[in-house]
Amino acid sequence: MFSCFQVASELVFRKIWKIKRFHHTIKKRDLLDSPEFRCSVNGMTTFWNISVRFWKGANGKKVTNPLVICLNLTGSETEETGQARVRFQFGVWNAHIKHWECCPIASVVLNLQNTKELLSVGYKSLGVMERHIDPDKDVKIMVKIQIIQSDEEVHSLSQDMARLMVNEESKDTLIECYCDSENKDCEKTPLIVHSWIIRTRSDKLATRMEEQSDGKNKGMKYLLCLPEYSYGVVNELVRYIYTDKVDCADKYAAKLLPISIVYHLQGLKGLCERHLIESLTPANVANILLLADQCRCENLRKAALHYCEGSDEIKGNVHMAGKTLAWRVMEMVNPDLFMEACESIGSSSSNLDSPGTPGGSWSD
C-alpha cells in the first residue's frame, strides 16, 4: 500500500521493495522485477514496477555490483490523454545507521494515454555495500514518484514566474558576479532581473541595488553587485527568487544555504536544509555538520549528528589514524562541535521511521 503526502498540492508516492537474501538472489537470477504497483491522481491511474538489471563486463559475464535500478511504466488509464511530467528518486536503505541514502531527483515528460505497453522511464547505477545489507541479509530499494499534469503545471504561479524570468521585457536591473569555470560565457549572457521582484523578495538584497546609468546596458536602471558569488550560484538564486525552486540543488544547496541566511530568504533556507538532510552520506556528513553549525541551522545540525549515531563507517573516518580531511578541519576550527560529533558516533540511536510489512516483499 502507498504512503503519500502533500507537497505544494502535488502528491508524492513512495514505494519500498525488499529484495530478500540479496546476495543469494542476485547470484542466482539474471533479472529481478518488483510486483506491479499503481499511482492514482486526478482521474489518471498509472502502473509501475522497479526492476534490477546487470551490467556485463568485458568478458561478457554479469557484474553484480553496481546494479542497474530501473523504473518502468507498465501501463496507464486516463480520462483525458496528454502530457505529464514525472519526477522520481531512487534510494537504498542504510541498515547500519537506519537512514535512506537517496539518489538525485530525475525528471521526464511522458505522453500518457490508455495503454498496457511497457515503457522504461529511467534508471540509476547503484552500488550496494555491506551497510545496505540488513541482519536478515535483505536489501530495501525505494522509489518516490511525483506526477505533475501539464495543464496544472502550465497555469501554476511558479511556471508563470518562470516565464517572466526569461522574458527580457521590462527588466531593469543588471547583476554582476564572477564568471566561474563552468560559465565562461557569462559575460555574453548577463543576469538581468526585475527590480520589483528583488525588492519584494528580499529587503537585504534590495539594499545592495544601486542606481546606475550605463551606456553599454541601455534600460538598466539599477546595478546589483554580488562579486563574492559565482555566476552559477547567482543564477540559481535568481531562479529561486522568481519561482521558489532550485534546479540544481545537488550542486548548489550547500552554497545557497549561507546566502539564504544573509539575505533572509527563509523558503530557500528550508529548501536547502531539506535537500542536505536527504543527501547525507558518511563521506559528506562532516562538511554538512560544519555548514549547519556555521549557518546556525539547528534542524540540519541535529539531523547530521543523528546520522552519525551508530555508524561504523563514520567512526572509521574520525579514527585518530585515518581521520579524513573534513574531520581534521572540524577538530581544528571547531573543537567543541568535533567533540559533540564524537559523542554521537557510536551512541545508541533511536530508529528512524522505516515501517515494514512483516513477511512480505513490500512495505509503505
Side-chain angles (χ1 to χ4, degrees):
M1 185 176 180
F2 279 122
S3 74
C4 57
F5 51 92
Q6 203 77 12
V7 178
S9 301
E10 296 161 356
L11 289 174
V12 177
F13 298 92
R14 184 181 74 158
K15 201 66 176 180
I16 299 172
W17 178 27
K18 181 187 290 185
I19 303 176
K20 295 186 175 181
R21 300 180 63 199
F22 176 76
H23 284 307
H24 175 79
T25 300
I26 64 171
K27 183 178 180 180
K28 297 293 184 181
R29 303 277 295 274
D30 289 329
L31 54 88
L32 292 170
D33 293 314
S34 77
E36 187 178 72
F37 58 93
R38 71 177 184 175
C39 303
S40 296
V41 58
N42 294 339
M44 176 190 301
T45 300
T46 50
F47 301 88
W48 307 82
N49 75 3
I50 312 169
S51 62
V52 170
R53 299 295 184 264
F54 302 95
W55 299 111
K56 289 188 178 180
N59 56 7
K61 290 186 177 180
K62 179 176 69 175
V63 176
T64 57
N65 205 9
L67 305 172
V68 183
I69 307 296
C70 309
L71 176 64
N72 306 304
L73 177 67
T74 59
S76 61
E77 298 173 357
T78 177
E79 296 173 0
E80 296 183 8
T81 60
Q83 286 190 334
R85 183 159 62 94
V86 177
R87 301 173 76 238
F88 62 94
Q89 181 180 37
F90 292 115
V92 59
W93 181 248
N94 185 324
H96 286 191
I97 60 175
K98 298 179 174 60
H99 188 88
W100 287 106
E101 296 179 7
C102 293
C103 302
I105 296 172
S107 178
V108 64
V109 176
L110 300 177
N111 289 311
L112 293 180
Q113 55 189 338
N114 291 308
T115 180
K116 293 184 179 180
E117 294 184 5
L118 179 70
L119 175 65
S120 179
V121 172
Y123 72 93
K124 183 70 177 178
S125 186
L126 188 66
V128 177
M129 309 302 176
E130 284 303 314
R131 66 179 182 271
H132 302 132
I133 311 295
D134 70 17
D136 295 325
K137 309 300 181 184
D138 303 335
V139 166
K140 292 178 183 176
I141 303 293
M142 175 186 68
V143 65
K144 291 181 181 179
I145 300 175
Q146 183 180 41
I147 302 172
I148 306 168
Q149 291 169 285
S150 294
D151 285 345
E152 293 180 5
E153 184 183 9
V154 165
H155 298 292
S156 70
L157 176 60
S158 178
Q159 290 301 309
D160 287 340
M161 294 299 290
R163 283 187 286 274
L164 180 64
M165 183 177 70
V166 298
N167 186 347
E168 303 301 316
E169 186 178 351
S170 74
K171 287 184 176 179
D172 59 0
T173 302
L174 174 68
I175 301 180
E176 286 189 352
C177 51
Y178 74 82
C179 292
D180 49 345
S181 59
E182 296 180 1
N183 296 279
K184 294 179 179 179
D185 296 329
C186 65
E187 292 182 0
K188 297 180 182 178
T189 54
L191 289 169
I192 56 175
V193 297
H194 299 85
S195 59
W196 63 268
I197 293 231
I198 300 297
R199 291 194 180 97
T200 301
R201 297 288 272 167
S202 171
D203 291 339
K204 286 287 186 178
L205 275 174
T207 61
R208 296 191 64 168
M209 292 170 53
E210 301 175 358
E211 291 190 19
Q212 68 146 13
S213 177
D214 187 350
K216 294 181 180 179
N217 298 285
K218 294 181 179 180
M220 295 297 108
K221 297 180 182 178
Y222 304 99
L223 178 65
L224 176 57
C225 292
L226 301 172
E228 64 271 43
Y229 306 126
S230 72
Y231 182 92
V233 170
V234 175
N235 192 43
E236 289 304 312
L237 174 62
V238 169
R239 192 188 314 280
Y240 172 78
I241 286 172
Y242 274 85
T243 69
D244 272 351
K245 295 181 180 180
V246 173
D247 276 0
C248 304
D250 290 316
K251 185 175 182 180
Y252 292 116
K255 297 176 181 178
L256 288 169
L257 180 60
I259 297 174
S260 72
I261 305 297
V262 172
Y263 295 109
H264 298 178
L265 294 164
Q266 291 302 314
L268 180 60
K269 175 178 177 284
L271 185 155
C272 292
E273 280 189 296
R274 289 191 297 273
H275 180 82
L276 290 169
I277 289 171
E278 290 181 356
S279 63
L280 281 166
T281 68
N284 68 20
V285 65
N287 287 323
I288 291 178
L289 189 53
L290 274 168
L291 178 65
D293 192 73
Q294 170 196 338
C295 296
R296 298 182 180 180
C297 296
E298 194 59 25
N299 289 339
L300 181 59
R301 187 175 180 275
K302 287 180 179 178
L305 287 171
H306 184 81
Y307 186 82
C308 291
E309 295 178 5
S311 170
D312 292 335
E313 186 170 350
I314 296 176
K315 189 184 298 182
N317 288 343
V318 298
H319 188 273
M320 191 62 68
K323 201 176 298 174
T324 62
L325 177 61
W327 288 105
R328 290 200 300 270
V329 169
M330 185 190 299
E331 186 178 22
M332 288 187 292
V333 303
N334 197 332
D336 291 340
L337 180 63
F338 179 78
M339 290 303 298
E340 188 174 3
C342 288
E343 290 173 2
S344 294
I345 295 168
S347 67
S348 60
S349 171
S350 59
N351 293 343
L352 295 177
D353 182 27
S354 177
T357 303
S361 297
W362 289 102
S363 63
D364 294 338

